């Protein structure tokens, strides 16, 4: 029996369409042109963001525990930006991945990740939200390890371990909240977390899970490894859209205004402090994608810290301002990651023009007027006061320093001539479209999301507060321009190395203890565990190597899970 859809069908189509394309990507007949599916997969989601009225719900009672989808102004902004970024990155991938041997696998898991990413912004029941969050977390692993190099596989292992850890934390928080609420409705679960006994503990679990996805310091260690290892179009959506899943999850489900003083203080300190710590780590990098990844860690930590600070200061988190800031960052950072491939492939005037656009995007993220990022920064600071406002203002200088460092490293890299002479121009088109959107769109959305007139952002005090930190950063950058690029003193992933070594020691200790056991039952158990671990390790190789098997495997797993739920 077919499921009955109550309300507009377009939001449901936005999720079903990329799932259908993921299945089609496994068909051998489509493999030669399978990349053509990438730019069309997010189009229904983009249509929802632009056309669907806010507040109207779509329900599918017979699916999962009753799927509920809806939009408001913040979620529509983030949905539209995510869908647009996925579409333009898909156009970029048509050229970038033209010669890839695993195009079908990449396309299938790209579409699965996309469906989960869009579902997070649309879901209004916790079951749909969790399934979407799990889909975007687990399917993105294949995007990270696509190249199949040791570097990519290492990044993928760390990413998957932290993703599963984050999923477990989120599941624990959602179970506690939904049990207290007696409902799966997102609004009711959020309200119950604010009043239930142990609500701070459940909220802390959610913040840990969402913090892993968003790259909140110190939960960020996967991000500077995964983003550089992934193909450039995947890096763009990872940084521009996927990390926003963690930000939106915190906005949607965590009652920041009701957090206890200890937890709120910890979140503000981790966010605002982590914003500066990530810049220091980024300045020690020589890989442009690693520098951009640390910039994302800094910006997302800053955003979560500012959200918590606004809730403490006013009694209500500035959700609209946070959505504007996240949307601008998604467009600008997605464009900067695409610029890495454009600058590498371009020469002459196109290369020069691309570097100029990179500098403009860096200044926009830092909040220099009149770029669109200045409006996002003003909106974020508006509800703050005291030390929090000062730190957000000063962070503009460190952000500018880090991104100008990225532009410097990009400019210093020697270009390579692609086989197709038109490839550079084709790569530049989606990059330019994202850059223009990042600079212009905040002007159109400021009043609606920030809930303040545009004249507020243009007040002389706000203009000067956005200008002097960037001027300071530019002066420091000019003084440092004559110095050679720094030798990386902090490895990509910073804390990842010590964590991996600690985990390795634990495994060795566990193996040693298993070997000295003499009871037959224990020995058989240890052997069975070793066989299971070996088979799990081979699964990674199988998923990466075969173009259709990975998709089929995940499809079977998802189908089995749905059957068990029903």
């Amino acid at each position: 029996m077919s499921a009955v859809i109550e309300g507009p069908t377009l939001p449901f189509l936005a999720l079903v369409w990329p799932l259908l394309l993921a299945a089609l990507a496994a068909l051998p007949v489509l493999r030669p042109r399978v990349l053509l599916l990438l730019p069309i997969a997010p189009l229904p989601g983009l249509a929802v963001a632009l056309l669907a009225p806010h507040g109207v719900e779509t329900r599918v009672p017979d699916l999962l525990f009753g799927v509920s989808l809806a939009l408001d102004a913040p979620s529509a902004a983030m949905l539209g930006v995510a869908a647009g970024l996925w579409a333009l990155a898909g156009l970029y991938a048509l050229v970038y991945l033209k010669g890839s041997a695993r195009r079908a696998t990449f396309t299938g898991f790209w579409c699965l990740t996309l469906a989960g990413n869009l579902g997070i912004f649309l879901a209004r029941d916790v079951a749909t939200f969790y399934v979407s969050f799990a889909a975007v977390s687990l399917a993105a692993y294949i995007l990270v390890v696509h190249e199949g190099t040791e570097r990519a596989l290492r990044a993928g292992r760390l990413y998957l371990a932290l993703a599963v850890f984050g999923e477990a934390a989120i599941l624990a928080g959602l179970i506690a909240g939904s049990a207290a609420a007696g409902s799966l409705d997102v609004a009711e679960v959020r309200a119950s977390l604010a009043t239930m006994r142990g609500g701070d503990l459940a909220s802390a679990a959610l913040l840990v899970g969402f913090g892993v996805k968003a790259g909140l310091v110190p939960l960020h260690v996967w991000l500077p490894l995964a983003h550089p290892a992934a193909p450039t179009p995947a890096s763009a959506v990872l940084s521009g859209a996927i990390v926003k899943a963690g930000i939106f999850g915190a906005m949607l489900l965590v009652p920041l205004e009701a957090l206890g003083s200890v937890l709120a203080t910890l979140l503000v300190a981790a966010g605002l402090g982590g914003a500066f710590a990530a810049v220091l780590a980024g300045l020690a990098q020589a890989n442009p994608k690693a520098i951009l990844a640390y910039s994302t860690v800094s910006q997302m930590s800053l955003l979560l810290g500012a959200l918590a600070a606004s809730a403490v200061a006013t009694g209500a988190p500035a959700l609209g301002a946070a959505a504007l800031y996240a949307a601008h960052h998604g467009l600008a950072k997605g464009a900067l990651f695409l610029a890495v491939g454009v600058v590498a492939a371009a020469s002459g005037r196109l290369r020069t023009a691309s570097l100029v656009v990179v500098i403009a995007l860096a200044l926009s993220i830092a909040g220099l007027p009149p770029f669109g990022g200045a409006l996002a920064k003003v909106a974020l600071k508006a509800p703050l006061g005291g030390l929090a406002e000062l730190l957000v203002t000063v962070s503009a200088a460190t952000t500018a320093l880090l991104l100008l460092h990225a532009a410097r490293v990009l400019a210093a890299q020697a270009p390579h001539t692609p086989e197709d002479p038109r490839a550079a121009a084709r790569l530049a088109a989606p990059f330019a479209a994202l850059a223009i959107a990042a600079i212009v769109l905040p002007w159109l959305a400021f009043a609606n999301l920030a809930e303040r007139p545009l004249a507020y952002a243009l007040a002389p005090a706000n203009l000067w507060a956005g200008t002097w930190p960037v001027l300071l950063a530019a002066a420091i950058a000019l003084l440092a321009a004559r110095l050679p690029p720094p030798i990386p003193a902090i490895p990509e992933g910073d804390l990842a190395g010590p964590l991996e070594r600690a985990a390795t020691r634990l495994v060795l200790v566990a193996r040693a203890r298993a070997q000295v056991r003499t009871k037959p039952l224990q020995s058989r158990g240890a052997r069975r565990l070793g066989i299971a671990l070996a088979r799990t390790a081979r699964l990674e190789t199988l998923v990466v190597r075969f173009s259709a098997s990975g998709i089929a495997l995940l499809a079977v797993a998802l189908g089995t899970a749905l059957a068990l739920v029903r």
Side-chain angles (χ1 to χ4, degrees):
M1 184 177 66
S2 60
V4 176
I5 301 176
E6 301 173 359
T9 59
L10 189 56
F12 186 66
L13 178 63
L15 306 184
V16 172
W17 176 245
L19 292 176
L20 175 62
L21 296 186
L24 293 177
L27 298 178
V29 69
L30 290 181
R31 287 181 190 172
R33 298 184 179 276
V34 72
L35 292 177
L36 293 174
L37 301 177
L38 299 180
I40 65 173
L43 295 184
L46 184 60
V48 170
L50 296 176
L51 302 176
H54 298 171
V56 175
E57 290 193 22
T58 296
R59 295 184 180 274
V60 189
D62 297 328
L63 188 62
L64 291 177
F65 293 100
V67 171
S68 178
L69 310 173
L71 276 181
D72 55 16
S75 58
M78 297 181 73
L79 175 69
V81 164
L85 173 56
W86 279 92
L88 291 170
L91 286 173
Y92 188 99
L94 290 179
V95 181
Y96 189 90
L97 295 171
K98 185 177 181 181
S100 173
R102 294 186 287 270
R103 296 187 298 273
T105 299
F106 185 89
T107 300
F109 281 93
W110 174 282
C111 292
L112 287 171
T113 309
L114 166 64
N117 200 183
L118 300 185
I120 287 167
F121 301 127
L122 287 167
R124 291 301 180 269
D125 68 278
V126 294
T128 303
F129 178 88
Y130 185 76
V131 169
S132 298
F133 206 95
V136 75
S137 295
L138 302 181
Y141 164 77
I142 300 300
L143 306 185
V144 173
V145 303
H146 174 77
E147 300 291 345
T149 63
E150 179 55 37
R151 177 190 184 192
L153 293 176
R154 179 204 174 201
R157 286 191 293 270
L158 184 62
Y159 168 80
L160 193 58
L162 286 173
V164 172
F165 170 71
E167 293 294 325
I170 292 171
L171 182 59
L174 292 181
I175 289 174
S178 58
S183 170
L184 296 179
D185 181 77
V186 160
E188 294 182 23
V189 170
R190 188 182 191 277
S192 72
L193 289 170
T195 58
M196 62 180 277
R197 184 179 180 181
D200 265 13
L201 184 60
S203 294
L206 290 174
L207 286 171
V208 167
F210 295 141
V212 168
K213 181 59 63 186
L216 174 68
V217 175
L219 304 169
H220 67 288
V221 292
W222 67 272
L223 199 149
L225 292 174
H227 289 201
T232 294
S235 297
V237 296
L238 276 166
S239 187
I242 293 176
V243 299
K244 305 305 183 293
I247 298 295
F248 188 75
M251 292 168 56
L252 185 70
L253 281 158
V254 180
L256 297 171
E257 69 283 357
L259 296 181
S261 59
V262 174
L263 182 56
T265 301
L266 284 175
L267 182 56
V268 172
L272 299 183
F276 293 96
V279 168
L280 293 177
L283 288 171
Q285 306 302 315
N287 181 336
K289 290 174 76 174
I291 299 169
L292 294 176
Y294 273 108
S295 172
T296 296
V297 172
S298 175
Q299 293 298 297
M300 295 303 97
S301 294
L302 179 74
L303 180 52
L304 282 173
L307 256 177
S310 69
V312 172
T314 66
L319 300 182
L324 178 63
Y325 195 91
H328 169 264
H329 179 269
L331 293 169
K333 190 54 64 67
L336 284 173
F337 270 103
L338 296 187
V340 175
V342 175
V343 172
S347 59
R349 293 181 178 178
L350 180 58
R351 179 181 171 89
T352 302
S354 299
L355 288 171
V356 170
V357 174
V358 166
I359 294 173
L361 289 169
L363 298 177
S364 183
I365 293 177
L368 179 67
F371 298 112
L375 301 180
K377 188 77 77 173
V378 166
L380 190 66
K381 292 190 297 183
L384 303 178
L387 181 60
E389 182 179 5
L390 177 62
L391 290 175
V392 173
T393 300
V394 173
S395 72
T398 57
T399 296
L401 272 177
L402 182 57
L403 292 177
L404 289 174
H405 172 51
R408 178 189 180 189
V409 172
L410 268 179
Q413 291 186 338
H416 68 267
T417 304
E419 296 181 3
D420 185 352
R422 298 172 295 179
R426 290 176 177 172
L427 292 173
F431 158 63
L434 277 176
I436 293 171
I439 292 171
V440 173
L441 286 183
W443 286 91
L444 304 178
F446 178 83
N448 186 34
L449 290 174
E451 299 180 352
R452 292 174 182 266
L454 193 58
Y456 173 82
L458 300 176
N462 285 326
L463 292 176
W464 176 241
T467 301
W468 72 259
V470 179
L471 292 178
L472 176 62
I476 296 173
L478 288 174
L479 290 174
R482 297 182 180 181
L483 301 176
I487 299 174
I490 301 176
E492 293 177 10
D494 49 272
L495 298 175
L499 287 174
E500 288 174 318
R501 289 191 291 271
T504 300
R505 291 192 190 99
L506 288 174
V507 171
L508 292 176
V509 169
R511 287 179 177 175
R513 290 181 177 179
Q515 289 174 356
V516 300
R517 291 175 178 172
T518 57
K519 292 183 179 181
L521 182 60
Q522 291 175 331
S523 299
R524 286 196 298 270
R527 287 196 298 270
R528 289 172 182 172
L529 177 60
I531 294 171
L533 290 174
R535 289 174 178 172
T536 302
R538 288 198 296 270
L539 178 62
E540 179 182 78
T541 304
L542 290 172
V543 171
V544 172
R545 182 178 300 170
F546 298 108
S547 61
S549 64
I551 301 170
L553 177 64
L554 188 58
V556 170
L558 289 175
T560 303
L562 288 175
L564 291 174
V565 169
R566 295 306 299 156

